Amino acid sequence: MIDPRILREDPDRVRASQERRGASSDVVDRALSADSTRRAAIADFEAKRAEQKQMGKKVAQAKGEEKQQLLAEVKDLAKAVKEAEAAQVAAEDEWKKALKAIPNLADDAPAGGEDDFVLIEKVGEPRDFAAEGFEPRDHVELGRMLGAIDLERGAKVSGSRFYFLTGVGAELEFALINLAMDQAREAGFTQVIAPALVRPEAMAGTGFLDQVDDGVYKIEDDDLYLVGTSEVPMAAYHSDEILDPETLPRRYAAYSSCFRKEAGSAGKDTKGIIRVHQFEKVEMFVYTTVEESYAEHQRLLEWEKSFLDKLELAYQVIDVAAGDLGPSALRKFDCEAWIPTQGKYRELTSASNCTTFQARRLDIRARTENGTTPVATLNGTLTAITRAIVAVLETHQQADGSVRVPKALQKWLGREVLEPVQK
């Protein structure tokens, strides 16, 4: 959630952020009203509680008929105190709900929706297949020729948007994971294998609980959720903890399976493995101070770019518009790789600065000279396997259907070229 002091002291800033996101500012007015109601309820309860204590002293000193009269008044006052306490609890709940309905302040993100991003840079040049004299094959055909991707059996076993990675496809996944983890280790990240199932508190703390209907799988009987990214378990990793500021930044590179319903993507990317229900990912997650979070955000982006450079891909970096941000993010940078057969750039990585939004919900603080303060959290994709495979296969394909292996992956794959399988 946002810092409530900002809401109280500078509500116009919050309204401006909502406008940048293309969202209603009504949430601001509701939260301010809920805060006013909460403060009044607290004052009423405290006043009645103080009156009850004073009445108790009078009863102790009274005698006879006066005492009986006071006891009757005490009974009525006790009922009023109980009602005031219940009203305070209800007002507190409404205040928390209203505050949580406000997304992070998108002060620096471009205004607008999905198409209003700002291009930061383009890296590399897309291959000119026409100049090379052949029509590029898409990753589905290449995957079939290489014996790497089996969509038919994936659908037979699990349904649409599922797949098998077989042979060099499976090897390519492990190679990408190893390359990502190797880079993360060299950069000082602690490697983590994260759980793919989390409690509701973790989902709510990261701001993903509102997406359950559209994007998140829930295990009803166990009240657990399948994560769409290891950002969720890693954000909750230090929940309800006070961190030593000397240990910041804490950088983690977490591997996990990820699950997404893709309910809002009907008709989009139904072919192939660009948009699927299950995939593996290595996610960078950082805890640091708010002051340092902006520089750390740039570092996450540079680590993502370094990984894409190792895959020898052409890509662009965009500053995502406020209306396309999730509720937790203050700002987000995406790296989009060129996909030859689609003739456009597609998202491969994202890096978000969530400042204290998640930490306030999850109660993660750092000890300072003046007490404790919420930390900042950041996340960044190092590699999302299926999309990385798509980009590598299509970018580095050759006329005969073989695929040149980027030099950085050759160590893990043990070969320079992936050859079509003999039928």
Side-chain angles (χ1 to χ4, degrees), residues 136-171:
R137 299 176 174 89
D138 67 17
H139 71 278
V140 175
E141 185 177 357
L142 290 167
R144 188 179 299 115
M145 293 176 68
L146 297 169
I149 304 170
D150 193 331
L151 293 167
E152 290 76 14
R153 290 188 176 93
K156 177 180 70 174
V157 172
S158 302
S160 63
R161 297 188 191 271
F162 285 95
Y163 57 93
F164 283 90
L165 293 181
T166 55
V168 293
E171 290 183 53

Side-chain angles (χ1 to χ4, degrees), residues 26 88 100 106 108 124 248 255 296 304 328 345 367 370:
D26 288 351
Q88 179 190 333
K100 286 181 177 179
D108 298 325
L248 300 178
Y255 166 85
E296 186 72 6
E304 290 177 344
S328 301
Y345 292 95
R367 198 178 303 281
N370 301 317

Side-chain angles (χ1 to χ4, degrees), residues 69-378:
Q69 182 179 350
L70 288 173
L71 284 171
E73 292 179 16
V74 165
K75 186 177 180 180
D76 290 339
L77 186 56
K79 181 181 178 182
V81 168
K82 189 173 182 180
E83 290 173 351
E85 183 178 20
Q88 179 190 333
V89 171
E92 290 279 5
D93 287 343
E94 285 303 311
W95 158 243
K96 289 178 182 176
K97 288 179 183 176
L99 191 60
K100 286 181 177 179
I102 301 174
N104 208 341
L105 302 180
D107 295 331
D108 298 325
E114 183 179 358
D115 298 326
D116 297 310
F117 64 85
V118 171
L119 178 64
I120 296 175
E121 65 173 322
K122 289 192 175 185
V123 179
E125 289 292 331
R127 278 178 65 185
D128 185 348
F129 286 93
E132 295 180 33
F134 73 98
E135 185 76 19
R137 299 176 174 89
D138 67 17
H139 71 278
V140 175
E141 185 177 357
L142 290 167
R144 188 179 299 115
M145 293 176 68
L146 297 169
I149 304 170
D150 193 331
L151 293 167
E152 290 76 14
R153 290 188 176 93
K156 177 180 70 174
V157 172
S158 302
S160 63
R161 297 188 191 271
F162 285 95
Y163 57 93
F164 283 90
L165 293 181
T166 55
V168 293
E171 290 183 53
L172 188 51
E173 169 157 326
F174 291 128
L176 288 162
I177 293 167
N178 283 324
L179 181 62
M181 285 300 197
D182 196 43
Q183 176 179 307
R185 182 174 54 251
E186 289 178 359
F189 283 74
T190 299
Q191 298 188 359
V192 177
I193 304 296
L197 284 163
V198 297
R199 292 176 171 173
E201 296 84 359
M203 292 295 292
T206 46
F208 284 93
L209 201 56
D210 294 337
Q211 301 176 22
V212 169
D213 289 341
D214 289 335
V216 180
Y217 289 102
K218 183 178 182 181
I219 312 300
E220 293 287 350
D221 291 344
D222 298 310
D223 200 21
L224 292 170
Y225 294 89
L226 285 164
V227 301
T229 167
S230 54
E231 172 193 345
V232 178
M234 294 316 301
Y237 186 61
H238 286 299
S239 58
D240 302 315
E241 293 182 24
I242 298 176
L243 306 179
D244 182 345
E246 298 299 319
T247 66
L248 300 178
R250 295 194 182 197
R251 298 186 178 112
Y252 300 99
Y255 166 85
S256 76
S257 292
C258 305
F259 302 86
R260 299 183 182 180
K261 285 184 179 179
E262 297 290 0
S265 63
K268 296 180 181 177
D269 299 310
T270 56
K271 184 181 179 183
I273 60 172
I274 286 183
R275 199 182 296 271
V276 291
H277 292 310
Q278 177 185 343
F279 60 97
E280 280 62 51
K281 183 152 70 92
V282 177
E283 184 83 1
M284 298 178 288
F285 198 89
V286 181
Y287 296 87
T288 190
T289 63
V290 173
E291 294 76 16
E292 184 59 26
S293 68
Y294 305 98
E296 186 72 6
H297 195 193
Q298 292 293 333
R299 283 190 283 269
L300 286 176
L301 175 59
E302 291 304 315
W303 280 315
E304 290 177 344
K305 289 170 57 182
S306 176
F307 188 78
L308 296 181
D309 290 340
K310 287 172 180 159
L311 299 184
E312 301 170 29
L313 301 175
Y315 61 93
Q316 66 179 17
V317 182
I318 65 170
D319 193 350
V320 176
D324 201 27
L325 296 176
S328 301
L330 173 104
R331 197 176 187 188
K332 182 171 76 165
F333 302 126
D334 281 357
C335 292
E336 302 179 329
W338 179 259
I339 306 300
T341 60
Q342 295 193 4
K344 60 183 176 181
Y345 292 95
R346 298 299 303 269
E347 177 194 333
L348 253 64
T349 71
S350 290
S352 299
N353 184 1
C354 298
T355 56
T356 63
F357 188 90
Q358 295 174 333
R360 288 180 186 278
R361 292 184 173 208
L362 292 164
D363 193 22
I364 310 168
R365 294 165 287 158
R367 198 178 303 281
T368 68
E369 294 179 356
N370 301 317
T372 60
T373 185
V375 300
T377 60
L378 301 97

